Amino acid sequence: MDGFLGEWLNLLLRWSHMIAGIAWIGTSFYFVALDFSLKKPNGLPAGVGGEAWEVHGGGFYHVQKYLSAPARMPDHLTWFRWEAYLTWVTGFILLVAQYYFQAPAYLIDPAVLPLASWQAIAISIVSIIAGWVIYDSLCRSPISRNTSLLAACVLVLILAFAYVFTQVFSGRGAFIHVGVLVGTMMAANVFMVIIPNQRRITASLIRGEAPDPRLGAIGKQRSLHNTYLTLPVLLMMISNHYAMITDAPNAWLLAGLIIAGGAALRHFLVRHEVGDPLDKTAWTLPLIFVPLALAWWLSNSPLLALDWPSLLLRWGHMIAGIAWIGTSFYFVALDFSLRKQGSLPPGVAGEAWEVHGGGFYHVRKYVTAPAALPSDLIWFKWEAYLTWTTGFLLLIVLYYLQAETYLIDPAVLPLAAWQAIGISIGSLAAGWLIYNMLCRSPIGGNAGLLAVCVLAMILIAAHGYGQVFSGRGAFIHIGVLIGTLMAANVFMVIIPNQRKITASLMKGEAPDPRLGITGKQRSLHNTYLTLPVLLMMVSNHYPMITDHPRAWLLAGLIVAAGALTRHYLVR
């Protein structure tokens, strides 16, 4: 019973950690992209560094970023901090549940160093604290004045800890600790530096005083570090499930190569968002591919093996998914933080003031067309498209190309690979068609009845998958089916409807109200399906669920529980 409860605790902690991490990193992705999309038209208010118009969920959002204090500071500011705190807290509790409580199984390898559990745990805690103290000391030292030198020193610091971890822990335990070390630096940057400095700056501005410029410079430096460490830490966390890396004799060196390649990729993506042409960013490409290629080579993984393609696709899928779902989390939270104070322009449902990265953001949401709608609207669509595309490619690499291993179980149904693949593709297409017809039918007019029908459809599909695929193959297909419904909602309904509405507004015509209603309905479905699909994807690694004789029923309960949790969080 203890082991059973422990597995469920592990699953729920992993789910919570994923939700908090997506909210934190997704919000960071959003603001970085927003800052680089700001325009500077004539007539901006004093202190405004730029503005942007965005379309999301059927509403128009006007964002202005203040580089200094606005003429009147609002009474209510939205701070982005709890996402980082909860990510670290849930991650550390997961570390305790997985590696501390089960140290002999996951943390300790007697062939590396015969440790008692308390010794391994003590080394873990002390090293995490020491890592932050040394990193923080470097950032506060004269070295910090030279960005390149500081970056080199931080990389050496991480490499040194990675080497030490491989000398005392198991391969898997060592690699997860590199990720925990980097994640702790990022969360502590928010808790110990960025937020306190932002509060001091805000307090000075409210008093009408000039804030200490060092506070902004230090906060910006730490924010920049977090930006460049984001992708490496994501790859570090998922790499922990690949023995080709964790069990490599030079795993500490692979960790350094992953940090270098991931940071270079983040730089490339940031400069791409700025709009730099490829000839100005091409120098980063060798810095991305050479370290990752070296890591592939040093891992001794066969050149034509699917391990590294699987890892890199999973990384890309994770990045795109965080950008998509994190942005959705942000806008849902924004909508509920809108306030109606003073006289607002016609059509404005509310406004909010936010603080992020040392800047003040003033956001207004228009539920009807503003007087003048710019031509360069920001649309949030590629995040969804790339999430589905990378996910389907990952399905091909893991389950189609290795169907006999992961997708087919002769004890369930003896299928040829092509038959299993055909059933997979056909079921995904059929699932979307049935769901779309339900939404467009009279049933779609009754939200409660439609929700029951969609749940019943997912249950039927789950039961069907359980009759033809392996336990793991069946469960992953439930997640893929739900993810397909969500991505197709964006591609087939939400974005096309928003474009039609925008086109009508720009022509001065009244848009068809059904377009907004339909788009809002599908957006609402995506909102409530988000947490279930995340739990579904995580659950796929737990045999207690995938190998359960009534796994299809567990899938239905997970969908229901996830949707209800999302409703609770939304309300």
Side-chain angles (χ1 to χ4, degrees):
M1 179 62 72
D2 290 342
F4 177 78
L5 292 177
E7 285 296 298
W8 272 98
L9 175 63
N10 187 292
L11 168 62
L12 295 177
L13 281 172
R14 196 177 298 274
W15 185 41
S16 301
H17 183 54
M18 179 180 285
I19 293 170
I22 288 173
W24 177 21
I25 299 174
T27 299
S28 174
F29 282 178
Y30 165 79
F31 275 103
V32 169
L34 171 63
D35 284 351
F36 289 125
S37 66
L38 295 174
K39 307 292 184 183
K40 296 182 179 180
N42 296 325
L44 288 177
V48 174
E51 67 176 8
W53 284 87
E54 304 170 326
V55 182
H56 192 277
F60 298 90
Y61 297 82
H62 182 214
V63 187
Q64 291 183 325
K65 180 179 181 179
Y66 285 76
L67 301 178
S68 58
R72 182 185 63 84
M73 287 294 293
D75 297 328
H76 183 269
L77 286 172
T78 301
W79 300 80
F80 297 90
R81 61 187 189 279
W82 286 107
E83 301 88 346
Y85 304 164
L86 288 174
T87 300
W88 189 88
V89 169
T90 54
F92 188 76
I93 295 175
L94 186 58
L95 181 73
V96 172
Q98 180 83 29
Y99 289 89
Y100 291 0
F101 286 168
Q102 305 176 77
Y106 292 103
L107 187 57
I108 299 169
D109 182 352
V112 177
L113 190 66
L115 295 169
S117 293
W118 71 268
Q119 292 174 315
I121 294 169
I123 293 172
S124 168
I125 294 173
V126 169
S127 64
I128 293 170
I129 296 173
W132 160 253
V133 171
I134 298 171
Y135 162 77
D136 188 53
S137 300
L138 286 171
C139 292
R140 295 177 185 273
S141 73
I143 293 174
S144 65
R145 297 169 191 163
N146 187 317
T147 302
S148 299
L149 179 59
L150 179 59
C153 289
V154 172
L155 178 59
V156 169
L157 172 67
I158 296 172
L159 274 172
F161 271 93
Y163 179 78
V164 171
F165 289 146
T166 60
Q167 304 306 303
V168 295
F169 295 144
S170 66
R172 186 171 177 179
F175 223 78
I176 198 65
H177 271 79
V178 181
V180 172
L181 177 70
V182 177
T184 298
M185 292 176 183
M186 295 171 63
N189 274 338
V190 176
F191 182 70
M192 304 289 286
V193 180
I194 298 172
I195 292 297
N197 283 14
Q198 285 180 337
R199 288 198 177 280
R200 294 188 188 108
I201 291 171
T202 302
S204 296
L205 294 173
I206 290 175
R207 293 193 301 264
E209 302 171 358
D212 186 343
R214 293 175 300 176
L215 297 175
I218 293 171
K220 185 175 181 180
Q221 179 195 62
R222 301 302 180 95
S223 294
L224 191 66
H225 290 184
N226 281 9
T227 295
Y228 281 93
L229 289 173
T230 299
L231 300 195
V233 81
L234 291 177
L235 184 54
M236 199 75 64
M237 293 303 188
I238 59 174
S239 300
N240 189 54
H241 299 284
Y242 289 81
M244 67 194 181
I245 291 180
T246 59
D247 294 345
N250 44 21
W252 65 274
L253 185 55
L254 299 186
L257 292 170
I258 286 173
I259 294 287
L265 176 60
R266 188 68 182 119
H267 182 81
F268 175 83
L269 294 176
V270 166
R271 300 315 304 174
H272 175 73
E273 289 167 351
V274 175
D276 285 355
L278 184 59
D279 60 348
K280 287 189 176 182
T281 56
W283 62 272
T284 62
L285 297 179
L287 299 182
I288 298 169
F289 293 111
V290 171
L292 295 178
L294 278 174
W296 188 333
W297 177 63
L298 290 172
S299 69
N300 294 321
S301 177
L303 183 62
L304 299 180
L306 296 176
D307 292 335
W308 271 93
S310 166
L311 170 60
L312 296 177
L313 276 173
R314 195 182 297 273
W315 188 34
H317 183 54
M318 198 173 193
I319 294 169
I322 288 173
W324 178 20
I325 299 174
T327 299
S328 174
F329 282 177
Y330 165 78
F331 276 103
V332 170
L334 171 63
D335 284 351
F336 283 104
S337 69
L338 294 174
R339 294 171 177 260
K340 297 181 180 179
Q341 296 177 336
S343 58
L344 294 175
V348 175
E351 65 181 359
W353 284 87
E354 303 171 327
V355 182
H356 192 277
F360 297 89
Y361 297 82
H362 182 215
V363 187
R364 283 177 171 172
K365 179 181 180 180
Y366 288 76
V367 291
T368 59
L373 199 61
S375 58
D376 52 346
L377 288 168
I378 297 173
W379 301 81
F380 296 91
K381 57 183 187 293
W382 286 107
E383 300 88 347
Y385 304 164
L386 287 175
T387 300
W388 188 87
T389 300
T390 52
F392 190 74
L393 289 174
L394 189 58
L395 183 72
I396 292 173
V397 169
L398 278 179
Y399 290 89
Y400 290 1
L401 297 181
Q402 304 177 83
E404 290 82 359
T405 303
Y406 293 109
L407 188 57
I408 299 169
D409 183 353
V412 176
L413 191 66
L415 295 170
W418 69 268
Q419 293 173 315
I421 295 169
I423 293 172
S424 169
I425 296 173
S427 66
L428 296 178
W432 161 252
L433 291 175
I434 295 171
Y435 162 79
N436 192 44
M437 285 191 292
L438 285 172
C439 292
R440 294 178 182 273
S441 73
I443 294 174
N446 186 317
L449 179 59
L450 179 60
V452 171
C453 289
V454 172
L455 177 60
M457 184 197 81
I458 294 172
L459 275 172
I460 292 170
H463 185 268
Y465 287 140
Q467 305 305 305
V468 294
F469 295 146
S470 66
R472 185 171 176 179
F475 224 77
I476 197 65
H477 270 80
I478 305 169
V480 174
L481 174 64
I482 297 174
T484 298
L485 301 182
M486 294 172 63
N489 273 339
V490 176
F491 183 70
M492 303 290 287
V493 179
I494 297 172
I495 293 297
N497 283 15
Q498 287 180 338
R499 289 198 177 279
K500 292 173 185 174
I501 291 172
T502 302
S504 296
L505 293 174
M506 296 187 76
K507 289 185 292 189
E509 302 172 357
D512 185 343
R514 293 174 299 178
L515 296 174
I517 294 172
T518 303
K520 186 175 181 180
Q521 178 195 60
R522 302 301 180 95
S523 293
L524 191 66
H525 291 183
N526 281 9
T527 295
Y528 281 92
L529 288 174
T530 299
L531 298 195
V533 79
L534 291 178
L535 184 53
M536 200 74 66
M537 294 303 189
V538 175
S539 303
N540 187 56
H541 300 285
Y542 291 81
M544 64 186 182
I545 293 179
T546 58
D547 294 344
H548 194 280
R550 290 185 176 83
W552 63 275
L553 185 56
L554 294 182
L557 292 172
I558 285 173
V559 170
L564 290 173
T565 301
R566 188 68 181 120
H567 180 79
Y568 173 80
L569 294 175
V570 165
R571 303 313 304 174

Short mmCIF file of all heavy atoms in Angstrom, two decimals, residues 33-54:
data_model
loop_
_atom_site.label_atom_id
_atom_site.label_comp_id
_atom_site.label_asym_id
_atom_site.label_seq_id
_atom_site.Cartn_x
_atom_site.Cartn_y
_atom_site.Cartn_z
N ALA A 33 8.86 37.70 -25.79
CA ALA A 33 8.34 37.91 -27.14
C ALA A 33 7.62 39.25 -27.24
O ALA A 33 7.74 39.97 -28.25
CB ALA A 33 7.40 36.77 -27.52
N LEU A 34 6.86 39.61 -26.19
CA LEU A 34 6.14 40.88 -26.20
C LEU A 34 7.10 42.06 -26.30
O LEU A 34 6.89 42.98 -27.10
CB LEU A 34 5.30 41.01 -24.92
CG LEU A 34 4.64 42.37 -24.68
CD1 LEU A 34 3.64 42.70 -25.78
CD2 LEU A 34 3.96 42.39 -23.30
N ASP A 35 8.16 42.03 -25.50
CA ASP A 35 9.11 43.14 -25.51
C ASP A 35 9.71 43.37 -26.89
O ASP A 35 9.96 44.51 -27.28
CB ASP A 35 10.23 42.88 -24.49
CG ASP A 35 9.77 43.11 -23.06
OD1 ASP A 35 8.66 43.62 -22.87
OD2 ASP A 35 10.52 42.76 -22.13
N PHE A 36 9.93 42.28 -27.61
CA PHE A 36 10.55 42.42 -28.93
C PHE A 36 9.53 42.75 -30.02
O PHE A 36 9.91 43.03 -31.15
CB PHE A 36 11.31 41.15 -29.29
CG PHE A 36 12.57 40.97 -28.49
CD1 PHE A 36 12.79 39.82 -27.76
CD2 PHE A 36 13.53 41.96 -28.46
CE1 PHE A 36 13.94 39.65 -27.02
CE2 PHE A 36 14.68 41.81 -27.72
CZ PHE A 36 14.90 40.65 -26.99
N SER A 37 8.25 42.71 -29.68
CA SER A 37 7.22 43.02 -30.68
C SER A 37 6.66 44.44 -30.49
O SER A 37 5.78 44.86 -31.24
CB SER A 37 6.06 42.01 -30.58
OG SER A 37 5.39 42.14 -29.34
N LEU A 38 7.16 45.16 -29.49
CA LEU A 38 6.64 46.50 -29.22
C LEU A 38 6.95 47.46 -30.37
O LEU A 38 8.05 47.46 -30.91
CB LEU A 38 7.24 47.05 -27.92
CG LEU A 38 6.88 46.30 -26.63
CD1 LEU A 38 7.65 46.88 -25.45
CD2 LEU A 38 5.38 46.40 -26.36
N LYS A 39 5.97 48.27 -30.72
CA LYS A 39 6.12 49.29 -31.76
C LYS A 39 6.14 50.67 -31.10
O LYS A 39 5.63 50.85 -29.99
CB LYS A 39 4.97 49.22 -32.76
CG LYS A 39 4.74 47.84 -33.36
CD LYS A 39 5.88 47.42 -34.27
CE LYS A 39 5.58 46.08 -34.93
NZ LYS A 39 6.71 45.61 -35.76
N LYS A 40 6.72 51.64 -31.79
CA LYS A 40 6.80 52.99 -31.26
C LYS A 40 6.16 53.99 -32.21
O LYS A 40 6.84 54.76 -32.90
CB LYS A 40 8.26 53.38 -31.01
CG LYS A 40 8.94 52.53 -29.95
CD LYS A 40 10.37 53.00 -29.71
CE LYS A 40 11.05 52.17 -28.64
NZ LYS A 40 12.45 52.60 -28.39
N PRO A 41 4.82 53.98 -32.28
CA PRO A 41 4.15 54.98 -33.13
C PRO A 41 4.20 56.35 -32.48
O PRO A 41 4.54 56.49 -31.29
CB PRO A 41 2.71 54.45 -33.19
CG PRO A 41 2.54 53.71 -31.91
CD PRO A 41 3.87 53.09 -31.60
N ASN A 42 3.86 57.36 -33.25
CA ASN A 42 3.84 58.72 -32.71
C ASN A 42 2.70 58.88 -31.71
O ASN A 42 1.67 58.21 -31.79
CB ASN A 42 3.67 59.74 -33.84
CG ASN A 42 4.86 59.73 -34.79
OD1 ASN A 42 6.00 59.53 -34.36
ND2 ASN A 42 4.60 59.97 -36.06
N GLY A 43 2.91 59.76 -30.76
CA GLY A 43 1.85 60.08 -29.82
C GLY A 43 1.75 59.18 -28.60
O GLY A 43 0.71 59.18 -27.92
N LEU A 44 2.80 58.43 -28.30
CA LEU A 44 2.77 57.58 -27.11
C LEU A 44 2.86 58.45 -25.85
O LEU A 44 3.52 59.50 -25.86
CB LEU A 44 3.92 56.59 -27.13
CG LEU A 44 3.83 55.43 -28.13
CD1 LEU A 44 5.10 54.58 -28.07
CD2 LEU A 44 2.61 54.57 -27.86
N PRO A 45 2.23 58.03 -24.76
CA PRO A 45 2.35 58.79 -23.50
C PRO A 45 3.80 58.86 -23.02
O PRO A 45 4.63 58.02 -23.39
CB PRO A 45 1.48 57.98 -22.52
CG PRO A 45 0.55 57.19 -23.39
CD PRO A 45 1.32 56.89 -24.64
N ALA A 46 4.08 59.84 -22.19
CA ALA A 46 5.43 60.00 -21.67
C ALA A 46 5.85 58.76 -20.88
O ALA A 46 5.08 58.24 -20.08
CB ALA A 46 5.49 61.24 -20.77
N GLY A 47 7.06 58.31 -21.14
CA GLY A 47 7.60 57.16 -20.42
C GLY A 47 7.30 55.82 -21.05
O GLY A 47 7.83 54.80 -20.61
N VAL A 48 6.43 55.79 -22.08
CA VAL A 48 6.08 54.53 -22.73
C VAL A 48 7.14 54.17 -23.77
O VAL A 48 7.43 54.95 -24.67
CB VAL A 48 4.69 54.61 -23.39
CG1 VAL A 48 4.41 53.34 -24.19
CG2 VAL A 48 3.62 54.80 -22.33
N GLY A 49 7.71 52.98 -23.62
CA GLY A 49 8.76 52.55 -24.55
C GLY A 49 8.24 51.89 -25.79
O GLY A 49 8.99 51.70 -26.76
N GLY A 50 6.98 51.53 -25.81
CA GLY A 50 6.39 50.90 -26.99
C GLY A 50 5.04 50.29 -26.65
O GLY A 50 4.64 50.22 -25.47
N GLU A 51 4.32 49.87 -27.68
CA GLU A 51 3.01 49.27 -27.48
C GLU A 51 2.79 48.14 -28.46
O GLU A 51 3.50 48.02 -29.48
CB GLU A 51 1.89 50.32 -27.63
CG GLU A 51 1.74 50.86 -29.04
CD GLU A 51 0.56 51.83 -29.17
OE1 GLU A 51 -0.03 52.19 -28.14
OE2 GLU A 51 0.24 52.20 -30.32
N ALA A 52 1.81 47.29 -28.17
CA ALA A 52 1.48 46.17 -29.05
C ALA A 52 -0.02 45.91 -28.94
O ALA A 52 -0.65 46.17 -27.91
CB ALA A 52 2.27 44.92 -28.66
N TRP A 53 -0.57 45.42 -30.05
CA TRP A 53 -1.97 44.98 -30.08
C TRP A 53 -1.98 43.47 -30.29
O TRP A 53 -1.34 42.95 -31.20
CB TRP A 53 -2.73 45.68 -31.21
CG TRP A 53 -3.09 47.10 -30.91
CD1 TRP A 53 -2.32 48.20 -31.13
CD2 TRP A 53 -4.30 47.56 -30.33
NE1 TRP A 53 -2.98 49.33 -30.73
CE2 TRP A 53 -4.21 48.98 -30.23
CE3 TRP A 53 -5.47 46.94 -29.89
CZ2 TRP A 53 -5.24 49.75 -29.70
CZ3 TRP A 53 -6.49 47.71 -29.35
CH2 TRP A 53 -6.37 49.11 -29.27
N GLU A 54 -2.72 42.77 -29.43
CA GLU A 54 -2.75 41.31 -29.47
C GLU A 54 -4.19 40.82 -29.60
O GLU A 54 -5.13 41.49 -29.16
CB GLU A 54 -2.15 40.73 -28.19
CG GLU A 54 -0.73 41.21 -27.90
CD GLU A 54 -0.25 40.82 -26.53
OE1 GLU A 54 -1.09 40.77 -25.59
OE2 GLU A 54 0.96 40.55 -26.36
#
